[in-house]
Amino acid sequence: MDKRERSRLFRDRLAGAMQAAGVTKSALARQTGADRSTVSLALSAEDGRLPNAQFAAECASALAVSSDWLLGLTDRRERGADVLQAAIRMEEAARAPSDERIFRWHEEARGYKIRHVPATLPDMLKSEAVLRFEYGDFAGRTSDQAIADMRDRLAYLRAPDTDYEIAMPLDTLEGFAAGEGYWRGLAAAERRAQLERLAALTDELYPSLRLYLFDRKKVFSAPVTIFGPLQASVYVGRFYLVFSERRQVLELTRHFDGLVREADFEAKQTPRFIEAMTVPG
C-alpha cells in the first residue's frame, strides 16, 4: 500500500470510527489535546500526508480502536487487549446434554459444517436409558428435561441443511459395549439397545451425519466442537474454552480433519461395524 492509499484509508477509518462513536471534530480535538484544525486536516488531506504517531495513538484511544487499524496495518479494529479477550474466553459448562450454550452455538452455526468430538458418546444419539444412567437428576435439570432436549438436538440433525461430522475413539465404543470403566453398572440389554440405536441413526442420517472412529493409540483429542468458521469450544469439565479468532478455529479444524483421516474406515461403513459389535452378558 503506497503512502497516498494509506492516507486515504486513515481518513476513511477515522471518519467511520468518529461516526460510530458519535464523536464530533471538536470533541475529538478536546480528547486528543489537538487543535480542531488538526482534526479537520486529518479528515480532509488528500496529499498523502499521514498524522504523526502521537496524534494517531490519541485518536485510537479516544475512539476505542486500534491505532494499527487506523493506519491500515491490520483489519482488526479492536485494541490489542480487546482482541485477546475476544479471541479466547471461558464459559461455564453444564454437565448435561441440555446445555443452553451448546444449543445457541448450534443455532448460530446453522448451515455451516459442525465437527464434534464427544466426551463419551454423542449426546444427541444416546438412548433415554443411557441418559438417565449417565446424568441422573443432579446436573441442574431432570432426566426427563435432558431427554426432551436430546430430542431437540436430534431434530437439529434431521434438518435439511445439516452437515455434521463426529469423530470419537474406537476404544470408547468398545468400552461401552463391554460395560467397562465409566459404563460399569449399565445393564447389557441397555448397552445393546444403545448400540442398535447408534447404528440405526448413523445409517438413517448419513451423509448429513457422518460418524468416524479413530484409534486413540495413533491420535488423541480432547472433547471439542467446531461451529463452522465462527468459533470452536474445548470442553474441560466445568467450563468451555471458546476460541473465536479465525486462525485458532482453522487450526482446530485441521486437528479434527486429521482425526477423520486417521479413522479406521469411512463413515458409510460405521453403522455396519456397530451392528457387528458384541455385548457381553
Side-chain angles (χ1 to χ4, degrees):
M1 187 183 299
D2 63 27
K3 188 175 181 180
R4 188 176 295 275
E5 176 63 17
R6 194 176 300 281
S7 175
R8 183 198 63 77
L9 186 60
F10 177 84
R11 295 195 309 272
D12 291 346
R13 289 185 170 180
L14 179 61
M18 290 172 63
Q19 182 177 9
V23 174
T24 65
K25 294 179 184 179
S26 297
L28 185 62
R30 288 195 301 271
Q31 293 178 50
T32 59
D35 295 331
R36 191 178 186 282
S37 60
T38 300
V39 176
S40 296
L41 181 62
L43 290 167
S44 61
E46 298 184 3
D47 57 359
R49 185 181 307 175
L50 284 167
N52 62 48
Q54 178 66 24
F55 179 70
E58 293 294 345
C59 287
S61 177
L63 299 170
V65 297
S66 162
S67 55
D68 283 351
W69 176 76
L70 281 179
L71 293 168
L73 301 176
T74 179
D75 289 329
R76 295 294 298 262
R77 64 183 291 153
E78 304 99 322
R79 292 171 294 190
D82 296 332
V83 169
L84 181 61
Q85 185 176 13
I88 180 171
R89 65 186 190 276
M90 294 171 59
E91 294 210 17
E92 186 178 356
R95 190 187 176 277
S98 50
D99 190 325
E100 293 180 0
R101 292 175 183 80
I102 292 292
F103 286 154
R104 184 180 73 249
W105 295 338
H106 274 80
E107 285 299 323
E108 290 171 353
R110 188 176 287 277
Y112 290 113
K113 178 189 287 189
I114 296 179
R115 301 164 170 90
H116 178 52
V117 180
T120 56
L121 300 181
D123 280 328
M124 69 285 287
L125 304 179
K126 288 174 181 172
S127 68
E128 295 184 11
V130 167
L131 285 170
R132 293 185 191 281
F133 172 84
E134 186 173 4
Y135 294 105
D137 289 341
F138 67 87
R141 294 169 73 85
T142 68
S143 296
D144 288 340
Q145 288 172 318
I147 289 167
D149 290 337
M150 175 273 293
R151 290 171 180 160
D152 290 340
R153 296 278 292 280
L154 188 55
Y156 180 96
L157 290 179
R158 288 192 168 111
D161 57 348
T162 296
D163 188 0
Y164 212 106
E165 288 187 336
I166 300 173
M168 60 180 292
L170 174 57
D171 65 282
T172 294
L173 199 58
E174 293 172 335
F176 173 83
E180 297 174 345
Y182 185 81
W183 301 106
R184 186 173 291 113
L186 180 62
E190 303 296 358
R191 301 199 307 275
R192 191 174 295 111
Q194 172 64 77
L195 291 177
E196 291 171 356
R197 174 183 174 82
L198 189 60
L201 287 173
T202 52
D203 187 36
E204 172 199 340
L205 297 173
Y206 181 86
S208 296
L209 170 69
R210 301 176 296 284
L211 174 60
Y212 298 91
L213 301 173
F214 62 87
D215 186 347
R216 192 154 38 179
K217 297 187 185 72
K218 297 179 181 178
V219 289
F220 172 80
S221 180
V224 59
T225 307
I226 304 161
F227 300 93
L230 305 179
Q231 67 177 21
S233 65
V234 177
Y235 178 65
V236 297
R238 294 180 58 187
F239 56 86
Y240 298 104
L241 289 176
V242 184
F243 301 87
S244 55
E245 201 274 326
R246 182 178 180 276
R247 287 176 296 177
Q248 297 168 337
V249 176
L250 180 59
E251 287 303 317
L252 286 168
T253 300
R254 288 172 176 163
H255 161 72
F256 183 94
D257 290 346
L259 300 177
V260 171
R261 286 193 298 272
E262 291 293 335
D264 289 350
F265 39 79
E266 290 296 322
K268 189 174 183 178
Q269 300 171 309
T270 301
R272 307 290 82 81
F273 176 84
I274 298 173
E275 288 174 348
M277 297 185 73
T278 59
V279 176

